[in-house]
């Protein structure tokens, strides 16, 4: 049995890379860039008006002119025009190319238009309301770096530079595997000694947030069957994520089966609660990484977010988020186990404050729905005090 920090470091040391693939822009949301992206032109590509109004040559203002004859209207999406008489003006729409011989835009709110003339009601500043060519980025500038996770903001940038297809990091192929004779389908009515499957649905949903669509497999507590199916699954997947069968029970066959299949055990059992029986290893022949979590719902849920998500981020070249929170109350942590305790987060005076969520052990699935994540507390002789700052593992995306 090893300490949490050692287990965590060992998991991260086995991060993998899975190459790259090209995807359509419409399919790139949430993926991770595998290329640097550069501006293909100046941004903006021309001097553009930022307001609806009139475009003038400011020299007229200098000479005391505040009434201008209107020569015409310039719409967005039309070629560059020219102001013929610099004592006149052109009406201009937001986004339109600034006409030749103009250098200032005055919005309609500051102008009175009557009988083909525009009268300026407020002293303007030279050059106002113009977004200059290249003011955001110059042609060839790096606008998005490799290893950036694509969100709605990045989608806009990719579209603006004409990236209809994008190179992104390949995602690992994952199969979720549950074991246990006591598990039945969600649609079944359980007998008194049975329970419905929940871990597979929680993990499936969690992976979907990472754009991974895993396969799913349930195995009865039959050692020969488990060995046969795991042998096949390792050859078809980059990651196997198992739930159940790793504790000390008579029907916990997973550790023995994995040893028989030649999987290198990196560790089995961690000095932590929940999730103490966690098994982690690597099948060298197929290079398949195996995360084998205890079957209790809180244990599986905690280990996924504590270990797998950081492993996944590192494998894709993403930074691993580090979040600290403030304790809302004192907590005593005795013994030798690192504790992961369910909490609800509130923002108080700009700080993230963690309040404990009452739970009933690692089988208490409903407490997960009441929490935002886990605080990590190492055992100490004295108690953690209210106001102490501690590490936090988020399990919920805040709206």
């Amino acid at each position: 049995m090893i300490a949490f920090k050692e287990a965590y470091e060992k998991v991260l040391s086995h991060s993998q890379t899975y190459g790259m693939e090209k995807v359509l822009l419409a399919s790139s949301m949430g993926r991770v860039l595998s290329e640097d992206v550069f501006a293909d032109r100046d941004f903006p590509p021309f001097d553009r008006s930022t307001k609806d109004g009139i475009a003038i040559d400011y020299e007229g203002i200098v000479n005391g002119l505040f009434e201008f004859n209107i020569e015409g209207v310039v719409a967005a999406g039309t070629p560059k025009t020219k102001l013929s008489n610099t004592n006149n003006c052109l009406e201009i729409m937001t986004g339109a190319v600034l006409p030749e011989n103009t250098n200032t835009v005055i919005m309609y709110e500051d102008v009175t238009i009557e009988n083909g003339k525009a009268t300026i009601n407020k002293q303007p500043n030279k050059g106002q309301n113009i977004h200059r060519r290249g003011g955001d980025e110059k042609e060839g500038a790096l606008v998005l770096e490799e290893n950036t996770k694509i969100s709605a903001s990045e989608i806009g940038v990719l579209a603006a530079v004409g990236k209809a297809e994008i190179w992104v990091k390949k995602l690992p192929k994952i199969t979720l595997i549950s074991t246990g004779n006591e598990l039945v389908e969600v649609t079944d009515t359980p007998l008194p000694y049975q329970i419905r499957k929940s871990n597979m649905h929680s993990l499936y949903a969690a992976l979907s947030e990472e754009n991974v669509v895993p396969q799913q497999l349930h195995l009865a507590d039959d050692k020969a069957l488990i060995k046969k199916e795991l042998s096949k699954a390792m050859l078809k997947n980059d990651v196997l994520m198992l739930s159940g069968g790793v504790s000390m029970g008579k029907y916990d066959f997973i550790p023995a089966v994995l040893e028989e299949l030649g999987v290198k055990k990196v560790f089995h059992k961690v000095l932590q609660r929940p999730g103490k029986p966690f098994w982690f290893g690597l099948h060298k022949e197929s290079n398949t990484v195996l995360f084998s979590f205890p079957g209790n719902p809180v244990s599986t849920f905690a280990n996924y977010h504590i270990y797998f998500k950081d492993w996944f981020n590192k494998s894709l070249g993403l930074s691993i988020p580090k979040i600290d929170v403030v304790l809302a109350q004192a907590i005593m942590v005795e013994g030798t186990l690192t504790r992961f305790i369910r909490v609800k987060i509130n923002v108080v005076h700009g700080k993230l404050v963690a309040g404990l969520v009452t739970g009933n052990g690692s089988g208490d699935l409903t407490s997960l729905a009441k929490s935002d994540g886990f605080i990590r507390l190492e055992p100490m002789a004295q108690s953690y005090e209210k106001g102490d700052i501690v590490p936090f593992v988020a399990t919920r995306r805040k709206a």
Side-chain angles (χ1 to χ4, degrees):
M1 195 177 304
I2 63 174
F4 159 72
K5 289 183 179 179
E6 184 181 357
Y8 180 81
E9 290 169 1
K10 285 181 180 292
V11 168
L12 291 194
S13 72
H14 285 79
S15 61
Q16 307 288 313
T17 55
Y18 298 105
M20 64 179 74
E21 62 182 345
K22 186 174 281 190
V23 300
L24 295 174
L25 176 63
S27 303
S28 67
M29 184 69 174
R31 301 297 297 272
V32 178
L33 281 172
S34 190
E35 60 172 322
D36 289 332
V37 177
F38 300 91
D40 65 331
R41 62 202 300 216
D42 288 340
F43 280 85
F46 48 82
D47 291 344
R48 62 187 290 275
S49 175
T50 63
K51 300 289 185 182
D52 297 323
I54 62 169
I56 66 167
D57 180 355
Y58 193 79
E59 190 64 22
I61 300 293
V62 173
N63 294 330
L65 187 64
F66 278 79
E67 184 177 89
F68 298 82
N69 291 322
I70 300 172
E71 288 188 4
V73 179
V74 181
T78 58
K80 186 172 184 177
T81 56
K82 181 178 180 180
L83 182 65
S84 300
N85 185 332
T86 56
N87 287 329
N88 293 342
C89 70
L90 286 164
E91 292 188 66
I92 191 167
M93 303 300 109
T94 301
V97 180
L98 188 70
E100 187 177 343
N101 293 333
T102 68
N103 54 25
T104 301
V105 173
I106 304 163
M107 62 183 180
Y108 279 132
E109 290 86 342
D110 295 333
V111 174
T112 299
I113 294 179
E114 291 180 344
N115 302 319
K117 296 180 183 294
T119 301
I120 298 173
N121 303 319
K122 181 180 177 181
Q123 177 72 36
N125 297 313
K126 184 177 181 179
Q128 70 180 28
N129 299 324
I130 297 171
H131 195 178
R132 293 295 179 183
R133 176 175 178 169
D136 298 338
E137 300 288 353
K138 298 293 187 182
E139 180 180 348
L142 176 65
V143 291
L144 292 175
E145 294 186 13
E146 181 183 0
N147 297 333
T148 297
K149 192 168 187 177
I150 299 171
S151 69
S153 300
E154 285 75 27
I155 291 287
V157 174
L158 291 166
V161 300
K163 296 288 288 185
E165 295 182 318
I166 306 104
W167 284 104
V168 297
K169 301 288 182 72
K170 275 188 177 180
L171 298 169
K173 186 175 181 181
I174 299 176
T175 289
L176 304 175
I177 301 174
S178 58
T179 63
N181 294 337
E182 75 279 14
L183 299 177
V184 298
E185 297 297 332
V186 173
T187 53
D188 292 341
T189 300
L191 296 171
Y193 53 87
Q194 295 175 323
I195 56 174
R196 293 187 180 94
K197 299 173 186 175
S198 62
N199 286 348
M200 289 298 97
H201 293 279
S202 294
L203 292 174
Y204 188 96
L207 286 168
S208 71
E209 292 184 341
E210 309 298 339
N211 287 294
V212 175
V213 181
Q215 298 296 310
Q216 296 185 74
L217 179 65
H218 178 72
L219 302 175
D221 289 324
D222 180 312
K223 185 176 180 180
L225 173 66
I226 291 172
K227 184 175 182 179
K228 175 184 174 183
E229 294 301 325
L230 287 185
S231 179
K232 292 191 296 183
M234 282 189 292
L235 298 177
K236 297 177 182 179
N237 291 275
D238 300 308
V239 177
L240 294 184
M241 194 177 297
L242 294 86
S243 175
V246 291
S247 296
M248 299 296 292
K250 293 285 187 182
Y251 296 95
D252 290 327
F253 298 123
I254 297 299
V257 167
L258 293 177
E259 183 179 358
E260 291 173 13
L261 290 174
V263 180
K264 175 192 172 186
K265 179 182 74 174
V266 177
F267 61 79
H268 181 201
K269 298 182 182 178
V270 184
L271 288 166
Q272 66 178 41
R273 182 185 297 160
K276 181 178 173 182
F278 175 31
W279 192 103
F280 178 77
L282 177 71
H283 187 239
K284 288 191 173 181
E285 182 181 340
S286 62
N287 207 38
T288 303
V289 180
L290 290 96
F291 292 82
S292 194
F293 301 141
N296 285 324
V298 177
S299 297
T300 290
F301 199 71
N303 279 336
Y304 171 88
H305 287 90
I306 294 163
Y307 294 98
F308 174 80
K309 282 200 70 173
D310 286 359
W311 174 91
F312 182 81
N313 283 338
K314 185 178 179 184
S315 293
L316 292 183
L318 295 172
S319 60
I320 296 173
K322 299 296 182 185
I323 307 172
D324 290 329
V325 296
V326 178
L327 289 181
Q329 62 196 85
I331 306 174
M332 189 71 191
V333 178
E334 298 177 309
T336 60
L337 302 180
T338 298
R339 296 288 306 280
F340 292 95
I341 299 173
R342 285 151 277 188
V343 294
K344 188 75 175 176
I345 299 298
N346 292 295
V347 179
V348 180
H349 302 306
K351 296 181 179 180
L352 299 177
V353 178
L356 300 190
V357 171
T358 301
N360 191 26
S362 56
D364 185 358
L365 178 63
T366 60
S367 66
L368 295 175
K370 302 172 186 176
S371 66
D372 295 316
F374 299 87
I375 51 171
R376 188 184 85 227
L377 303 180
E378 301 295 340
M380 295 197 310
Q382 69 274 19
S383 69
Y384 289 84
E385 299 300 330
K386 178 180 178 180
D388 283 354
I389 297 174
V390 298
F392 172 69
V393 179
T395 60
R396 184 190 298 274
R397 291 184 178 180
K398 284 288 191 180

